[in-house]
Amino acid sequence: MSRFTVGDRDFLLDGAPHRVLSGAIHYFRVHPDHWHDRVRKARLMGLNTVETYVPWNLHEPRPGEWTDSGALDLGRFLRTVADEGMHAIVRPGPYICAEFTNGGLPTWLFTDPTVGVRRNEPRFMRAIEAYLTRVLDLVAPLQIDAGGPVVLVQVENEYGAYGDDADYLDALTAMVRGAGITVPLTTVDQPRPHMLENGSRPGLHTTASFGSRSLERLTTLRRHQPSGPLMSSEYWDGWFDSWGMYHHTTSAEESATDLDALLGTGASVNLYMFHGGTNFGLTNGANDKGVYQPIATTYDYDAPLDEAGRPTAKYWAYREVLAKYTQVPDEVPADAGPAPTGEVALTPVASFPEAAFLAMPVTATSAVPTFAGTRDDAVYVIHRAGFERPSVSVLTVGEVRDRVHVVVDGHPVGVLRREDGETALTLPPVVAELVLVVEDQGRVNYGPRLGEDKGLIGGVRVDGAPVTGWETVALTADDIVRLPRTAVDVRESGAIPALTLAAGTFEAEDDRDRFLDVSTLGKGVAWINGFCLGRYWSRGPQRTLFVPGPVLRPGGENTLFVLELDTAPAAVVRFVTDHDLGPVED
């Protein structure tokens, strides 16, 4: 068995100085059949360690309902790292940010709005202790002193940017140690004095997050971590994308030059990200710093490996830098070549609201409930009320989180959008029914709005009078793909109407990865063979969805299923040779 410790100036592996050269791969953003390929490519670039967050909200979607199999088999992922002869860093949070929905925290934690968020509050801490016990039961046997790959475990995540509750950090540290973690414990914060001061505690090794000006930032870190190895445990080599923005890229040459400067000091590093992957299954988060901005489906991050796991210019530039500080394998990744092409014709198969009310449990309430009042893990909640108004009227809501389609007597009449601050809409005369389709576009993952509820906050009024007598259904992504087919009134030939479920079939000759061009669609969600590829949106930046080859059925019939929320001008989509993540900033 080996031993990994923190020395006076270096990490020590069995007593000898050791530099951590790590890259982040989030197992939950990569199809499990691709884990080995991505880890192996990290080793071939010259890295010796792989880092991952752990998403509490996926592992425990309901209180006490724990899952760690399939795409969430953390143990298998860590053993895959070990099989490549590499070490591992585990960051279990409980808060992870990661541009992931709710920062990785389960929504059920916050159905009671008085529960503490990232502070030493009893109910919050009890839930955390149960979570950490479960996840660290998986990690502890895989520590390096037990013959496994894990050399570091992080406590919380960039806490100094959020709070200063020292008791909270001390309690988390005690929980981690009590769960059998013996390797060194770390924290990470941006290299700003107040963040580094508030985000760490005695006994925790302080590291920093940044992506440029390394020498300056390491100097700041050294003032707060006077001894031991310097480490950027989040070296930002790119950035994430938000809907309606451009695709972020950074110069491979400039980034490699700065990485060279960092390594020239003797510091350790964790590239964030080495391979970003994809926000499959509607797991993207959102930011709200005055304006709500949901994260895109792609988490390509302009990383050394792109969303499809292919080396980029940054991969080769970093490999050249790493070769100055470590022995890099002679072997290099093979060229994947262009992806297969093809076409899928889509046919409307159901009205989304109608199919949902046919198949899902219906809750009757006087006032419109929020998501927490129906199903906290839902991504869509649909409300309907019997309603009559012979003349034009005005619908108002208190606050929209995040997008609401308004339907009168089966006809969509408008959309209220959170990012625009819209809370009112003119209604045509209503004969029988008012339907509101509410979409969660991604829960805030950073800042004071973490853990907030979704839905229509503050009720629904028409001409100032409350609307009562509502029926409500709540749906997850898995619920939607299982909805029954119903008759659809298609008024415009060749298009997919708003709030419509559509499907089409195609054949795949092999299981190579593909790229689905969604530029002919409006806004919605796509599944292949029941696997949720994620959201698409005509506002961009991304115009393709990544299709992992393992979800296909080679030689057989494959099904593409979409929920179109707006209107798709063409009922056909195509597989294209490469991804299109949209325009970049000039």
Side-chain angles (χ1 to χ4, degrees), residues 116-122 124-125 155-156 159-173 194-195 197-201 204:
V117 181
R118 302 180 75 187
R119 59 186 174 89
N120 193 26
E121 188 273 325
F124 189 58
M125 298 305 287
V155 174
E156 244 282 353
Y159 185 68
Y162 183 87
D164 59 0
D165 188 343
D167 291 341
Y168 170 62
L169 293 179
D170 288 343
L172 287 184
T173 302
H194 75 283
M195 293 184 184
E197 181 68 27
N198 294 333
S200 195
R201 296 288 294 155
L204 303 178

Side-chain angles (χ1 to χ4, degrees), residues 349-368:
V349 296
S351 158
F352 178 44
E354 180 182 346
F357 276 104
L358 281 174
M360 301 300 297
V362 179
T363 302
T365 56
S366 175
V368 166

Side-chain angles (χ1 to χ4, degrees), residues 272-285:
Y272 191 98
M273 299 291 295
F274 169 71
H275 170 54
T278 308
N279 291 311
F280 296 125
L282 313 188
T283 54
N284 63 280

Side-chain angles (χ1 to χ4, degrees), residues 276-354:
T278 308
N279 291 311
F280 296 125
L282 313 188
T283 54
N284 63 280
N287 285 301
D288 192 335
K289 300 177 181 179
V291 176
Y292 175 78
Q293 293 183 312
I295 307 299
T297 295
T298 179
Y299 202 65
D300 176 84
Y301 216 84
D302 194 35
L305 284 192
D306 72 5
E307 183 179 12
R310 302 170 301 181
T312 66
K314 205 167 284 180
Y315 183 97
W316 303 112
Y318 282 7
R319 191 174 191 271
E320 185 175 341
V321 169
L322 288 165
K324 296 168 63 174
Y325 301 96
T326 188
Q327 186 172 349
V328 174
D330 293 333
E331 183 184 357
V332 297
D335 184 1
T341 59
E343 184 173 286
V344 187
L346 294 169
T347 301
V349 296
S351 158
F352 178 44
E354 180 182 346

